[in-house]
Amino acid sequence: MGRKRTYKILLSDEDKKVLHTTINNKKTCKTTIRRCQILLELDENAPGHLTQIQIAKTFGVSNSTVSNVVSAFIKGGINSIIKINRNPRQNAKRKADGRLEDELIRIACGPAPEGCARWTLRLLEKQVRMELDEPVGREAIRLTLKKMNFGLT
């Protein structure tokens, strides 16, 4: 026997209209569309509404995803379902933009410094700091070289 439901989802006609327009909007991402569809299926005013486990199987998501949609709707309403709130600092900007990548490849293609047989990540890091006055870490340099299929050997 399952646990008793804590929340009841009762959507008004206006809420359903907002969800349908969001689903039909071509610029809406898949995650938001899926959340809206889950919420529409959870509506207890609709005939033949499904349980959370049935919804999870139907949409191919986990049970926790369905419960997260329910709790987000209860706490924040429709707007919390439609808009995905992301921390602006979460997805950090790339350390190396196109200009920096070009300069890095130019330096790496050039002759190695005196006393060294080849370029290393540490040497490239020092050289980029001297020439461009920008602090770029070894990992950013490594990823840039890997992206360009450029080996240091």
Side-chain angles (χ1 to χ4, degrees):
M1 183 172 190
R3 210 170 23 162
K4 189 175 179 182
R5 279 182 288 167
T6 310
Y7 304 114
K8 286 190 174 187
I9 306 294
L10 301 171
L11 296 175
S12 66
D13 290 335
E14 186 177 320
D15 292 341
K16 291 178 187 177
K17 184 179 177 182
V18 169
L19 290 172
H20 283 295
T21 55
T22 304
I23 290 171
N24 294 330
N25 187 356
K26 291 184 179 182
K27 293 185 179 182
T28 306
C29 67
K30 289 181 182 180
T31 305
T32 305
I33 290 173
R34 176 83 29 97
R35 292 169 116 191
C36 293
Q37 290 170 337
I38 289 171
L39 194 60
L40 284 171
E41 287 294 327
L42 286 168
D43 183 22
E44 294 188 16
N45 288 335
H49 68 278
L50 302 173
T51 63
Q52 289 188 7
I53 295 172
Q54 291 171 336
I55 291 171
K57 287 181 182 177
T58 302
F59 289 106
V61 296
S62 65
N63 295 337
S64 60
T65 301
V66 178
S67 62
N68 288 341
V69 168
V70 170
S71 62
F73 175 71
I74 296 299
K75 291 177 186 174
I78 291 282
N79 291 334
S80 65
I81 299 297
I82 293 173
K83 183 179 177 190
I84 298 175
N85 294 326
R86 292 207 168 116
N87 186 352
R89 294 183 210 116
Q90 183 179 10
N91 294 334
K93 295 169 89 176
R94 283 184 17 196
K95 300 289 183 190
D97 58 352
R99 181 187 61 83
L100 186 69
E101 288 175 356
D102 292 342
E103 290 296 318
L104 182 62
I105 296 297
R106 182 189 60 78
I107 293 169
C109 286
E114 290 184 27
C116 298
R118 62 185 178 93
W119 283 104
T120 62
L121 290 177
R122 291 179 194 263
L123 288 173
L124 281 171
E125 180 185 13
K126 287 179 186 176
Q127 191 68 25
V128 167
R129 282 190 183 173
M130 284 189 329
E131 287 189 21
L132 303 177
D133 295 330
E134 290 186 34
V136 179
R138 286 188 302 273
E139 185 65 13
I141 293 172
R142 185 190 70 79
L143 290 174
T144 301
L145 294 174
K146 182 179 178 182
K147 179 177 136 183
M148 300 292 178
N149 287 333
F150 186 85
L152 290 175
T153 56

